[in-house]
Amino acid sequence: MTTDLAHAGLARADLGVAPAAPAHTASELLAVMSARLLREGQTVFAGVGIPLLAAILAQRTHAPGLTILFEGGVIGPFVEPGKLPPSTNEQRCTRRANMLVSITDVLLMLQRGYVDVGFMGGAQIDRYGNLNSSFIGDADAPKIRLPGTGGGNDIASLADMIVAMKHEKRRFVEKVDFVTSPGFLRGGSSRADAGLPAGGMFRVVTDLGILGFDPESRAMMVLALHPGVSAETIRAHTGFPLPVPDDVAVTEPPTAGELAILRELDPARLYTA
Amino acid sequence: MGVSSYLDLRAATRARDRSLRDKVMSLEEAAKLVTSGEHVALGGCTASRTPFAMIWALIRAGVTDLTVSRSIISTEGDLLYASGASRHIMTSWFSQGIVWGVSKVMRAYTESGRARFEEWSHMAMGLRYRAGAMGVPFMPMRSMLGSGVLDRAEGAKTLECPFTGETLLLVPALNPDVALIHVQRCDAYGNAQLDGLTFMDIDMAMAAKRVILTTERIVSNEQIRRAPDQTKIGFFTVDAVVEVPFGSAPHECYGLYEPFYSHMDLYAEMTAKDPEAGAQAYLERFYHEPTNWAGYLERIGMAELLDARRRGSSIYDD
């Protein structure tokens, strides 16, 4: 494994990482921590950006048999390093795939139950894991019209979800302006009651830690913090009360090997800047 | 957008000339098959096999008030708004592509209330075309439930399943007046063979009341008959065939050319500061000033075209 990393060994000042850990961007941290959640043999439905990078990283480390699905209609590709696609709908997504199907048919694989993990990024999330990628402000008179759901709503409705996103107070809000992709809706059994008996939020991976959801209330809680991140810090970056266990786990920082793979995959820093 | 009457839909299909006949025409002639106010569905997805040549011809012909639907809409959505060709787009995602961020042109038109972006989930769009293709008024599905997307989706209904008692979502069929689909090759009759990703195009062709194909090249019917298993869109759905090399530029056409990334960067730059003025300047320079499609490609530039072709044709070189 190459260790030819320009910034290896430099401390990440804002998080106070020990000098021995290789320096990395927040996006690289998200990709590494997310990749580690994927298991060999799983089928993962991945969005473009960090989810795509993380899924490829997992393929190239501990999960060589990971099957990636893209909403463009791709089953089991191996994306070529340095040729990341601009969306999940271009020919770069299809390299060495097992099968190409229509968009509708690959999404129906979610509904049929063939997908272990849905994996996407998020713009705004709330306490119950609901995601907004449609409107900032009132949907009838929005401050910002965002691009919309794409396959996000379908994936979040039908799979166990991993969401990777930057941990900022404006992104972690008490209640999203608009539920584009459903998490646990209003908590408790409200998701199942709405007609979504399967799937739901599994993990939220951020640059501060890894979060899960209480099995009863379905509210977000901290499962692990990244090295150098305190409970106070993660709470300060969250717009709702966030439980942090006293004996909270601490993640292992990205290794030089993991970072080297990411930089080989994305040399132009399209998604890891 | 209401569901078509089944008998009307059948009658319209029966009234079409479904014989094996030559349908080859020019872009300008094909543009006359589309009337202002109609529902036009666009094949491809995001930056792939976008029917740009036909969109270019429709904008030049001055059509207005189209309702446009597509799986995911990219820059062509901006240009349809900015030209006035459409003020109502139905799709699941609207922006040039994630690496270029949120479309500033889409924002300018929708946030000011001058244009409508009707959002459905990706699978809902797919199943709406599929219902249209199947000749049924709706399809049941299990997403969008509980979300804000459902609250704003015109015509979607929930149903207590008569078999299981579960809550299901019913999404209404789409039978577009016209589908515009760009393909790698087809014959003069409209038998189209698609390489790579087919997106929602096969259902869209079956659902639509008319289909206009643009194609990288026209091949003989004999060539089609040598590999009929490769024919994905049948002649009986097709009304017009237009041969347009690089017909989805600056987007990709699987196996032939990749997206023209530098040109897409140029578009993003032109619309960054003053999105509306930028889109108008882009339309003037690339849509109205060239006298034909070759002139459009010349404006994009030979270097870009060759680079996209080089990248596109080397996808399976390992």
Side-chain angles (χ1 to χ4, degrees), chain A residues 59 66-70 74-78 95-99:
Chain A
Q59 270 184 336
L66 189 77
T67 296
I68 298 175
L69 304 187
F70 290 136
V74 186
I75 299 171
F78 287 87
R95 187 173 172 276
R96 294 182 59 220
N98 288 293
M99 186 180 184

Side-chain angles (χ1 to χ4, degrees), chain A residues 89 91-92 145 150 153-154 179, chain B residues 48 92 111 121 143 148 252 255:
Chain A
N89 302 289
Q91 64 179 24
R92 289 181 177 198
R145 183 50 159 122
N153 177 288
D154 304 309
V179 179
Chain B
S48 287
S92 72
E111 290 168 14
S121 88
S143 65
E252 82 168 27

Side-chain angles (χ1 to χ4, degrees), chain B residues 117-291:
Chain B
F117 160 17
E118 185 183 344
E119 183 176 338
W120 290 76
S121 88
H122 210 29
M123 190 164 78
M125 288 303 298
L127 289 174
R128 295 188 70 191
Y129 291 127
R130 183 157 291 176
M134 291 170 68
V136 295
F138 63 85
M139 284 291 283
M141 56 180 271
R142 296 178 185 272
S143 65
M144 272 177 56
L145 291 158
S147 73
V149 183
L150 174 57
D151 296 338
R152 298 177 71 82
E154 185 183 308
K157 295 182 191 304
T158 56
L159 170 83
E160 187 183 323
C161 172
F163 298 96
T164 65
E166 295 168 293
T167 301
L168 297 175
L169 182 69
L170 311 184
V171 292
L174 283 177
N175 289 104
D177 294 307
V178 193
L180 314 180
I181 300 175
H182 185 69
V183 302
Q184 284 90 357
R185 60 190 173 279
C186 69
D187 66 13
Y189 310 138
N191 287 302
Q193 299 191 332
L194 299 181
D195 296 329
L197 296 162
T198 58
F199 305 113
M200 300 181 184
D201 295 5
I202 298 169
D203 287 331
M204 191 181 285
M206 281 292 284
K209 296 168 187 171
R210 272 166 282 147
V211 175
I212 298 174
L213 291 184
T214 51
T215 180
E216 291 291 324
R217 63 190 181 105
I218 294 175
V219 300
S220 69
N221 180 250
E222 280 310 305
Q223 183 167 330
I224 295 291
R225 288 176 191 270
R226 269 180 229 129
D229 56 313
Q230 299 302 304
T231 305
K232 307 285 172 65
I233 295 173
F235 71 95
F236 49 88
T237 63
V238 174
D239 300 86
V241 171
V242 188
E243 189 172 39
V244 200
F246 290 94
S248 58
H251 289 174
E252 82 168 27
C253 187
Y254 194 102
L256 297 175
Y257 48 93
E258 279 207 319
F260 293 46
Y261 290 120
S262 304
H263 187 77
M264 292 170 78
D265 288 341
L266 171 70
Y267 175 82
E269 281 163 29
M270 285 181 74
T271 53
K273 283 215 175 70
D274 184 339
E276 289 185 56
Q280 295 304 338
Y282 183 91
L283 283 169
E284 196 54 35
R285 183 165 150 198
F286 292 99
Y287 278 56
H288 296 303
E289 286 177 6
T291 52

Side-chain angles (χ1 to χ4, degrees), chain A residues 89-108:
Chain A
N89 302 289
E90 286 77 31
Q91 64 179 24
R92 289 181 177 198
C93 301
T94 66
R95 187 173 172 276
R96 294 182 59 220
N98 288 293
M99 186 180 184
L100 304 183
V101 298
S102 76
I103 291 172
T104 311
D105 289 314
V106 80
L107 291 167
L108 286 171

